[in-house]
Amino acid sequence: MKNLGKKIYIIETCPSTNDIAKNKAEEGEEEGTTVWALEQTQGRGREGRKWISQKYKGLYFSIILKPDVTIGNLLTLLGALAFIEIAKRNFNLEIKLKWPNDLIHENKKIGGILGEGTYKGSQLNYMILGVGINTNYKIEDFPENMQKKVTSLKIILNKEIENQKLLMAILEKMNSLYTTDFIQNKLIYFANKFSFFKKGERIKIKTLQGLLEGEYKGINKDGSLLLQTKTGEIKIYSGHFIE
Ligand code: BTN
């Protein structure tokens, strides 16, 4: 259950590294193989959103993972935690995790994780974990309507970031965290420790079941979000927040 980043394909441009990694997985590439692109022409985020992927301005990569199905949906949290720890160690930045996959610096989004699983029956065949970090964007590189909501390492630190160095640091961190013991016994503790929401905070979340409102109770051991509503505590598996 190791070797993340042992083999890295470096691609100048592609539609989405998640798709290239998926093709490689279908061709039988081993777990850990990583696809890194300098730019993406059709980078995507959760819920079909576009992920802006200008050349050199961000870090865009995807890793092939073949975990046990029981821990499959915890892996976006693992990717997020790896970046949070590297941002603290290398840049002394406090990054928060906005469940399930947003990386936030002082209320602004700096990165995100996109986990896409492929199943054979009920078995997880493989999972592609795509990571996007805004490294060298200037604020004017983003569309005007996004500028209040996003940031980059360069905007915060006022210096150019070496994407390759950051990639290697994140992969090394993920490699050390990617053990069954850590994922089953410690990951949720850390995901809660770095949570953007505080326990007891009132949140509104749009889900397939409609708009839900209540008190944030934390991230559950299966990776779901716990929400205390008027009618009781519920687990939410996907959705997005309404401000
Ligand atoms: C999100 O916040 O909604 C997730 C963003 C994930 C972006 C990364 S960039 C590398 C990989 N390839 C993609 O097309 N998306 C992910």
Side-chain angles (χ1 to χ4, degrees):
M1 213 179 149
K2 284 280 170 177
N3 288 335
L4 307 195
K6 188 174 157 202
K7 183 169 175 187
I8 304 177
Y9 288 93
I10 305 175
I11 293 174
E12 187 155 348
T13 181
C14 67
S16 161
T17 54
N18 265 36
D19 292 338
I20 308 278
K22 187 169 191 289
N23 291 342
K24 302 252 179 236
E26 290 292 334
E27 286 162 11
E29 278 285 355
E30 278 180 32
E31 176 168 73
T33 295
T34 297
V35 177
W36 169 34
L38 306 185
E39 77 172 343
Q40 300 182 112
T41 52
Q42 286 168 52
R44 60 175 181 270
R46 267 194 338 128
E47 300 180 330
R49 282 189 288 263
K50 183 176 150 69
W51 188 258
I52 296 176
S53 308
Q54 296 171 19
K55 200 166 194 175
Y56 307 124
K57 303 220 169 166
L59 175 60
Y60 322 108
F61 68 95
S62 302
I63 313 172
I64 299 171
L65 296 173
K66 300 185 180 176
D68 191 274
V69 70
T70 55
I71 57 171
N73 58 0
L74 298 176
L75 295 179
T76 54
L77 300 176
L78 189 83
L81 181 62
F83 176 67
I84 289 170
E85 295 209 342
I86 292 301
K88 179 71 188 163
R89 193 190 73 191
N90 291 14
F91 309 119
N92 201 23
L93 291 181
E94 311 284 341
I95 305 292
K96 298 287 183 198
L97 164 66
K98 190 169 174 185
W99 180 92
N101 70 335
D102 284 357
L103 294 160
I104 307 287
H105 180 262
E106 292 181 351
N107 257 325
K108 294 181 173 177
K109 183 152 168 168
I110 193 164
I113 319 279
L114 179 68
E116 295 180 317
T118 296
Y119 293 81
K120 249 193 198 154
S122 61
Q123 280 305 306
L124 182 60
N125 197 9
Y126 57 83
M127 174 161 200
I128 306 299
L129 198 72
V131 180
I133 308 290
N134 299 335
T135 52
N136 291 315
Y137 284 92
K138 294 192 258 166
I139 199 66
E140 60 269 26
D141 294 325
F142 294 105
E144 220 167 296
N145 63 343
M146 286 175 68
Q147 290 180 2
K148 285 204 173 82
K149 298 182 196 153
V150 291
T151 191
S152 74
L153 290 170
K154 182 175 174 159
I155 294 169
I156 302 164
L157 301 167
N158 204 16
K159 66 172 189 187
E160 204 71 19
I161 302 301
E162 283 180 57
N163 284 327
Q164 183 172 346
K165 223 168 143 185
L166 181 60
L167 168 68
M168 297 318 291
I170 297 173
L171 286 173
E172 201 183 297
K173 179 52 79 180
M174 282 190 70
N175 207 31
S176 70
L177 300 179
Y178 190 55
T179 66
T180 309
D181 173 48
F182 183 83
I183 295 171
Q184 283 180 345
N185 303 318
K186 301 176 190 113
L187 177 60
I188 297 302
Y189 163 79
F190 284 103
N192 278 306
K193 177 174 170 194
F194 295 114
S195 170
F196 173 77
F197 295 114
K198 293 186 186 56
K199 288 197 177 145
E201 190 173 331
R202 285 207 74 76
I203 55 171
K204 276 188 203 159
I205 179 162
K206 197 163 178 212
T207 70
L208 288 176
Q209 292 79 45
L211 184 65
L212 299 169
E213 201 173 342
E215 227 174 66
Y216 177 75
K217 301 260 303 194
I219 300 170
N220 189 32
K221 58 181 188 307
D222 63 357
S224 61
L225 181 147
L226 292 173
L227 187 74
Q228 182 68 48
T229 66
K230 277 188 201 138
T231 51
E233 187 180 276
I234 53 171
K235 290 181 192 161
I236 296 175
Y237 288 89
S238 79
H240 62 263
F241 298 98
I242 311 284
E243 297 195 358

